Amino acid sequence: KRICSKSDVVITTAQVFGRPAPRIVTSEMVQSMQPGSVIVDMAVDSGGNVEGSIPDQTVDIGGVSIIGMSNLPAQVCKDASQMYAANLVNLVSEYWDAEEKTFNLNMEDDILQGCVITHGGALVNEAIKSLRGEGA
């Protein structure tokens, strides 16, 4: 109870294969937390680690939000994929000249030095070269 009362965020993940998830955060612990605190119950699908959590809902108990997203790991990959796609678009856009319809690749650019592996038929990435024993 003491640790929960001093925490702004609590994330629970305890699950036991083939059995209900152990209850590790009681309603008394939730009530000891400050309003605005957040609890994420990643075991909500198998009964939940947090008393009061409900699958696929965010419950407010005394100003404490209890997030009970079912299968949260499956949701995270979607966000990671969207972030990766946005990073790729931004990388390509940085070096694309729309007027000329060509890439402007200055191989002295720090970003390009880190992400381009080959250029003009040659291995140019220093990290990859060092892995192959070709480092500087």
Side-chain angles (χ1 to χ4, degrees):
K1 177 180 172 183
R2 208 167 7 111
I3 292 172
C4 282
S5 68
K6 294 180 181 180
S7 299
D8 294 326
V9 177
V10 173
I11 301 172
T12 66
T13 61
Q15 291 181 303
V16 180
F17 183 71
R19 295 196 338 222
R23 189 60 45 99
I24 56 177
V25 178
T26 65
S27 60
E28 182 183 6
M29 295 166 135
V30 172
Q31 292 169 9
S32 74
M33 296 176 73
Q34 294 296 312
S37 299
V38 175
I39 303 172
V40 180
D41 188 348
M42 292 181 64
V44 71
D45 275 344
S46 59
N49 296 141
V50 182
E51 194 170 347
S53 66
I54 299 173
D56 298 320
Q57 291 187 29
T58 299
V59 178
D60 183 295
I61 297 178
V64 176
S65 296
I66 302 173
I67 300 170
M69 281 182 68
S70 294
N71 198 7
L72 183 60
Q75 300 297 318
V76 174
C77 66
K78 175 182 142 197
D79 294 332
S81 294
Q82 289 173 341
M83 184 176 69
Y84 180 65
N87 285 342
L88 287 179
V89 167
N90 289 328
L91 177 67
V92 169
S93 298
E94 178 70 21
Y95 301 102
W96 178 251
D97 183 333
E99 191 174 299
E100 297 291 323
K101 295 187 182 190
T102 186
F103 284 105
N104 292 322
L105 301 178
N106 174 359
M107 295 311 294
E108 301 300 314
D109 183 284
D110 290 338
I111 294 170
L112 292 178
Q113 286 179 7
C115 65
V116 175
I117 296 173
T118 64
H119 184 67
L123 182 61
V124 296
N125 187 288
E126 293 302 321
I128 302 298
K129 282 183 181 181
S130 69
L131 290 173
R132 294 187 57 183
E134 300 173 24

